[in-house]
Amino acid sequence: MKISWTPAAAADLEQISDYLFERNPKVTIDITRRIYSAASALSQFPASGRLGRKEGTRELVVTGSPYLIVYDVEKQAVKILRILHGARRWP
């Protein structure tokens, strides 16, 4: 399956990277790679995440981080909707 990112999800990842870089530059690359790797794995295993809190979505917890990927499975694609911190209120 193809993976696509919404502008909101791309902005979330950029904000996460900026935030981490300001506080601990050493972990920025690791966490960013974990998020991309988890998102990429959804192309082969789109049902690996749990049912989302928002109807019609799924959520995948990014291992080794406090972040989760909110996504939607369409016919031939997985759409990454948001990247959120697990403590953040959603929706």
Side-chain angles (χ1 to χ4, degrees):
M1 293 188 114
K2 179 182 168 188
I3 301 287
S4 66
W5 290 66
T6 63
D12 289 339
L13 187 58
E14 185 175 346
Q15 290 171 354
I16 290 166
S17 294
D18 290 346
Y19 176 85
L20 292 173
F21 187 77
E22 288 175 9
R23 280 145 186 84
N24 188 347
K26 293 180 182 181
V27 302
T28 305
I29 292 172
D30 180 53
I31 295 296
T32 302
R33 283 185 182 160
R34 286 175 189 259
I35 293 170
Y36 272 121
S37 178
S40 294
L42 290 171
S43 68
Q44 293 183 1
F45 306 103
S48 60
R50 64 187 180 210
L51 290 177
R53 288 173 258 180
K54 186 173 180 182
E55 188 176 337
T57 66
R58 298 189 69 83
E59 298 174 356
L60 179 67
V61 176
V62 178
T63 305
S65 82
Y67 297 101
L68 59 98
I69 299 171
V70 180
Y71 66 100
D72 179 24
V73 180
E74 298 176 345
K75 290 181 182 180
Q76 296 297 320
V78 173
K79 184 185 284 187
I80 308 297
L81 303 172
R82 300 295 306 264
I83 308 295
L84 302 173
H85 192 283
R88 189 170 178 184
R89 291 186 64 148
W90 167 256

